[in-house]
Amino acid sequence: MAASAPRPWWHYLWIGVIGRSPKRTAVRIAVYVVVAWGVFGYVLRPMRVAGISMEPTYKLNQVNFINRWSYLKREPQRGDVVAVRMAGESVLYLKRIIGLPGERLRIRQGQVYIDDEPLREEYVKNRAPWNESEMELGPDEYFLVGDNRGMASRDHEHGAVRRSKIVGKVLL
Amino acid sequence: MNQGVRWLLVVLGVVGLGYLGWLNRPTEERRIRKVIEGMAGDATFTGGEGNISRIAKIESLGNRFAVDAELHVDQVLPIESALTGRDAIKGLLMMGTPQIGSVEVKVHDVQVTVTGDTEARVSMTASAKTGGKRGDFTAQEFDIRMVKTEGKWLVRRVDAVAGFRRSGGR
């Protein structure tokens, strides 16, 4: 019976990190990198909340993902929280869709009216007395606003945007 | 090593360096991008900065505008109409800056289009983050027209691009 010599510590480190088959590990890493590049580059865009306009639903510094493929087969719906591009996609607005194309929308004392019907919004916890005169949305326009309606209207970016500006829906 | 192989390596190295140099050559786009990034640096203030340093930065920021520059930011700032002239813009900056504690200004998605020998357009998003635990974050899209005067790219006109259409028209 032959006794094998004790292996040095780095041998176990090598096995733990690289595995028994370095070639297979290299292929596995390459696959992970390609999949991560594809998923996070083209499908799920990571983002971090930087403002307070979506509180309390999304809090400051919370991390989330934008699903760019969410509207490939269907159109944005009322209640969806979406990301809106500016000059590019490095900085995005995070807002909720409350008005759909062709609808008439106004805000009276903080209450939103769509085609003269009050809109039920359970996600709004504080409501400052915002007033916005009636506007009609164009055929490819959506009305977006944050959930934090307790803040002053002038400090809260909201309004109509074109469909092409919507990057995708928030994943979580 | 064979003499021929050595020479081949030298030639390849020179070609590679030349290619890198060509890639990083100072194009007009690059010069304009540098001006825009410099503006963001001039508009960034740390909390501990003294008044002299702040004034120097405002002066530097103001000098990046053409003498007859126009600032159309009434859609996003409480300014009644467009500001015209470098001095008026400097005046606005001088008025506003002492009230700011610390602010970090960054530019994102800078797209430069050179439209002529002395003209260019820039589309970009600028963001500003003020200090504090719950520091305020704001971002704004801008359309900028640049003009080349005496070899220097200067800002000729700034238009704030409204991200959202509000009632009453854009």
Side-chain angles (χ1 to χ4, degrees):
Chain A
M1 197 169 111
S4 58
R7 299 203 187 259
W9 63 270
W10 49 263
H11 169 81
Y12 298 101
L13 184 69
W14 175 268
I15 296 294
V17 176
I18 306 293
R20 286 185 196 283
S21 166
K23 203 171 169 184
R24 190 180 293 172
T25 303
V27 170
R28 199 178 290 157
I29 289 171
V31 169
Y32 287 158
V33 167
V34 169
V35 168
W37 175 74
V39 169
F40 296 113
Y42 294 94
V43 186
L44 297 178
R45 186 194 184 281
M47 56 151 285
R48 189 167 58 84
V49 178
I52 58 165
S53 76
M54 277 304 289
E55 287 193 356
T57 315
Y58 295 101
K59 293 190 170 63
L60 196 68
N61 293 327
Q62 203 172 324
V63 174
N64 212 318
F65 295 92
I66 305 299
N67 181 2
R68 290 167 190 263
W69 286 7
S70 48
Y71 299 126
L72 285 183
K73 288 191 175 172
R74 69 178 188 97
E75 287 303 305
Q77 304 292 306
R78 196 188 325 277
D80 286 357
V81 177
V82 296
V84 179
R85 81 175 81 237
M86 301 180 89
E89 291 188 11
S90 298
V91 183
L92 301 165
Y93 282 116
L94 194 64
K95 302 286 174 190
R96 192 181 291 276
I97 296 174
I98 61 164
L100 301 175
E103 289 181 341
R104 282 181 297 114
L105 185 145
R106 70 187 155 94
I107 304 175
R108 185 96 187 117
Q109 292 295 308
Q111 173 64 54
V112 176
Y113 292 86
I114 306 284
D115 293 335
D116 299 323
E117 292 291 324
L119 179 68
R120 280 191 62 190
E121 296 181 284
E122 285 87 3
Y123 41 80
V124 177
K125 305 299 177 202
N126 297 308
R127 222 181 268 269
W130 290 15
N131 288 300
E132 295 261 344
S133 53
E134 187 171 276
M135 68 184 291
E136 189 169 343
L137 298 171
D140 71 337
E141 276 187 330
Y142 293 82
F143 195 95
L144 271 57
V145 62
D147 291 353
N148 187 355
R149 312 283 172 80
M151 59 194 290
S153 164
R154 68 174 181 279
D155 296 333
H156 187 129
E157 285 282 3
H158 63 284
V161 296
R162 291 183 181 277
R163 169 72 178 82
S164 57
K165 284 268 192 183
I166 297 175
V167 176
K169 189 181 170 184
V170 170
L171 186 71
L172 308 168
Chain B
M1 194 185 288
N2 184 313
Q3 186 83 1
V5 174
R6 203 174 291 165
W7 272 110
L8 183 67
L9 284 176
V10 169
V11 169
L12 282 176
V14 169
V15 168
L17 282 174
Y19 180 67
L20 276 176
W22 183 81
L23 280 182
N24 292 297
R25 71 198 185 282
T27 60
E28 296 299 343
E29 282 88 351
R30 243 175 251 268
R31 287 194 184 103
I32 292 167
R33 204 174 278 270
K34 213 171 166 187
V35 170
I36 299 293
E37 282 161 5
M39 289 176 83
D42 287 344
T44 295
F45 299 99
T46 61
E49 223 158 7
N51 281 341
I52 292 171
S53 163
R54 282 174 180 246
I55 288 168
K57 276 188 164 180
I58 295 166
E59 189 66 23
S60 166
L61 183 58
N63 287 338
R64 293 181 191 272
F65 288 87
V67 176
D68 57 347
E70 290 173 44
L71 201 58
H72 296 259
V73 291
D74 44 310
Q75 292 185 57
V76 291
L77 283 178
I79 299 169
E80 280 186 15
S81 58
L83 273 177
T84 308
R86 181 194 285 168
D87 292 337
I89 293 167
K90 273 189 191 176
L92 174 79
L93 294 169
M94 288 283 183
M95 264 195 326
T97 311
Q99 297 160 18
I100 300 168
S102 71
V103 62
E104 187 186 10
V105 178
K106 284 183 179 173
V107 287
H108 315 265
D109 304 315
V110 180
Q111 293 150 46
V112 180
T113 314
V114 178
T115 52
D117 287 346
T118 58
E119 284 175 351
R121 285 190 88 134
V122 179
S123 161
M124 61 136 195
T125 302
S127 70
K129 192 177 181 216
T130 54
K133 207 173 177 184
R134 277 174 67 88
D136 229 8
F137 179 87
T138 184
Q140 177 61 48
E141 187 179 342
F142 290 102
D143 182 26
I144 300 172
R145 284 176 217 182
M146 310 282 293
V147 63
K148 197 174 186 182
T149 311
E150 292 167 5
K152 268 177 76 179
W153 282 103
L154 299 172
V155 176
R156 170 72 185 79
R157 185 186 162 115
V158 178
D159 284 278
V161 178
F164 296 91
R165 182 173 72 84
R166 303 279 283 269
S167 54
R170 199 179 278 266

